[in-house]
Each structure stands twice: as structure tokens, then as C-alpha cells.
Amino acid sequence: KTNIYPVDYCATLLSIKTGKPVKMSMYVDEMFNTGTRKCDYIYTIKTGLKKDGTFVARDVKIIANGGAYSTFGILAASAPMFYLQGCFKFPHFRAETARIFTNTTPRCLLRAAGNDTSNYVDAIHLEMIARDMGIDPVDLRLKNVYKKGDVSCLGWNLRSYSLDECIKQVVEKSGYREKKGNLPPYHGIGLGHSGDIVGMGIPPGNYIPAVVKLHENGKVSLNMPDWEMGNSLSVAACMLVAEVLGIKREDVEFTSTGTGDYPTDMGQPNEGSFAFQATIK
């Protein structure tokens, strides 16, 4: 993601020269030799807390293996730290990151740099804290989780936030407290959490261009770029237009023409939102 390599240019040039679609096929070893991989990270996390489990501070150091060349170096080094302060309150937070050049294939972005690794080490780190402090992992999370209306240590205004309710629902419906420590041999149950930062934050901000027209017959047409990936973006957009104009959803017609009809946008239909997921395994 985010990078173009010789194989891409070759396929494009061949398609232009022949006037035909071109498909490039490679063996797995060729992919490893000519393509990229996700960044490898080394995390060092220190979390300070009171005896009752209230978090006081967190200090994070992250080293990213960026490979032989710099692709999206700054983002790959800085993004992982955001996930380590997004779910729980830390009055004091410090992060130090570095992206190291190594004699390996270049590292690239693959659906949010450091998202999976940061959420994983954060969950493991909290489990270690709970064990050492003799606190239930669920109670530790609920004591420190943000609430709707809180402002994070980085200044994020959490206008919509319900991770606490998510955790409570998962614990209740899974029977976590009843099963914890009472399962047969070779069976276990544990709590995990993860958060995702949505929105590039690149000026002038995250937006989707749209053209809304009112026609003589009373119908409304909505014309906007449609990146339909199964999440019914077009339907949701029509619902928003209908709500704002005070009309029925059926009176809004969705259309999507070429990219030349719209100004440039970041392709992010969310504005700095934070999506949550709690799982029991």
C-alpha cells in the first residue's frame, strides 16, 4: 500500500503498448524479493499506576524496522504510539519512536501502521499489570477506560465513546467472570481490546465531496464518489441527506460519476473517529 514499484510500471506500460489488460503473476519468493513487508516493531512500555489500579503515566519507546529504503517512514514510526493511548486514560504520556534502516526488504504500510502490533502489546501489557497487582483484568480496564466527553492526553475530544459499555456487554454475554479459572484442563478464557484511529488528519481535514441537487419533481439526487466495499456507504449517505433536508429516504437518488467531477479528497469518510472492538477468546 502507498508505494509504486517497477512491476506496477511494467504492467501499465505493457497495457498501454498492447492495448490489452495485463496481469503480473509472481511466485512467492519473487514477491518477497521484489515487494515489501509490514514493519517489524520492538516495544518497550512502562505504565505507572496507583495501588488501586488507577493509571498515572505511560512511557513508550518504539523501534521500527523500515528495511533498506524509506517509504512512509515518519508515519510508520509515529502511528503505533497513538494506539497505546487511545483506549485508556493516562494523565501523563510520553513516546519516543525511531525508524531504523536495515539490510532487508523495504517495509510499507498495510492497513494502519502499527495497529495490530500496538493493540496486541497493549492488551498483553495490561494483563501483566493486572496479574502483578492482583487486579481482575476486566476491573483494571473499566477503572481506566475513557468515558464519553473526556479529552485524551493528546487533546482528542471523545464526543462519542462507549468502550466501557462494549467491555461490560462482552463480559456479561460470554460469562467471563463465571468461567474464569473454572474451565476444564486445556481450556481458558481471556479478555482482549483494540482500538482503531480513523481519519488521516491531513489539512484541510477529512471529507468527501458531494453534489446534492433538488429537481422539479421534488426528488433529490446525491452525486458523490462511491467506494462501496459492502458497508452500504451509498445508503448511509442518502440517509444523511434525507435527514438534513427533512425528506424521505426514498426521495433521494444516489449516483456516482467519474473522479474528474469532484475535488481531491483523502478517501476517509470519517473525521478522526475511533472505532472499538472487544473480543473474548
Side-chain angles (χ1 to χ4, degrees):
K1 183 187 175 185
T2 68
N3 301 291
I4 299 178
Y5 304 98
V7 63
D8 303 313
Y9 288 109
C10 291
T12 303
L13 182 60
L14 285 172
S15 181
I16 294 174
K17 293 291 187 181
T18 61
K20 302 287 185 179
V22 175
K23 178 181 179 180
M24 300 296 292
S25 298
M26 292 181 286
Y27 293 106
V28 174
D29 58 339
E30 293 174 326
M31 284 294 297
F32 278 114
N33 290 330
T34 62
T36 61
R37 295 175 52 192
K38 291 187 68 173
C39 266
D40 302 321
Y41 293 100
I42 298 176
Y43 291 84
T44 302
I45 305 174
K46 294 181 180 180
T47 299
L49 63 159
K50 299 179 180 178
K51 292 182 178 180
D52 64 355
T54 303
F55 292 155
V56 176
R58 170 167 281 187
D59 187 18
V60 176
K61 293 184 179 180
I62 304 173
I63 299 177
N65 174 12
Y69 305 101
S70 177
T71 52
F72 271 63
I74 295 178
L75 184 59
S78 60
M81 71 176 181
F82 294 124
Y83 300 106
L84 294 174
Q85 58 81 45
C87 291
F88 304 100
K89 299 178 185 178
F90 294 102
H92 306 282
F93 181 83
R94 182 176 65 181
E96 178 182 342
T97 65
R99 188 176 187 275
I100 308 301
F101 287 96
T102 60
N103 188 25
T104 58
T105 54
R107 266 47 172 184
C108 70
L109 305 183
L110 181 61
R111 302 310 309 158
N115 182 331
D116 49 355
T117 52
S118 293
N119 280 300
Y120 173 75
V121 298
D122 189 29
I124 295 299
H125 184 64
L126 259 63
E127 291 291 324
M128 296 171 65
I129 293 175
R131 180 194 61 195
D132 294 344
M133 296 291 293
I135 303 174
D136 186 279
V138 174
D139 297 334
L140 181 64
R141 286 172 169 86
L142 291 177
K143 175 177 283 291
N144 294 284
V145 69
Y146 283 113
K147 300 296 191 302
K148 181 179 179 179
D150 286 343
V151 178
S152 77
C153 58
L154 295 185
W156 298 350
N157 185 5
L158 306 177
R159 293 170 296 189
S160 175
Y161 204 99
S162 56
L163 181 56
D164 54 341
E165 291 300 320
C166 181
I167 293 174
K168 292 176 182 177
Q169 288 279 341
V170 169
V171 170
E172 178 184 352
K173 295 184 181 300
S174 66
Y176 171 85
R177 296 191 186 276
E178 295 77 14
K179 297 177 182 177
K180 183 72 172 179
N182 297 316
L183 295 176
Y186 310 110
H187 291 73
I189 186 170
L191 176 69
H193 68 270
S194 65
D196 185 24
I197 305 167
V198 182
M200 294 291 288
I202 299 176
N206 303 298
Y207 61 90
I208 293 181
V211 178
V212 179
K213 292 183 178 180
L214 174 63
H215 301 279
E216 294 180 351
N217 61 359
K219 299 288 185 178
V220 173
S221 64
L222 167 63
N223 188 5
M224 60 179 286
D226 180 19
W227 307 282
E228 187 57 70
M229 296 178 290
N231 56 351
S232 301
L233 173 63
S234 56
V235 176
C238 289
M239 293 173 64
L240 288 172
V241 172
E243 180 179 343
V244 171
L245 297 181
I247 60 178
K248 296 180 179 180
R249 159 66 185 87
E250 306 85 70
D251 293 332
V252 181
E253 178 184 1
F254 183 87
T255 59
S256 183
T257 54
T259 55
D261 295 333
Y262 314 103
T264 302
D265 72 273
M266 295 306 300
Q268 294 275 357
N270 313 79
E271 186 172 348
S273 61
F274 209 85
F276 298 106
Q277 170 182 315
T279 56
I280 285 285
K281 291 185 178 180

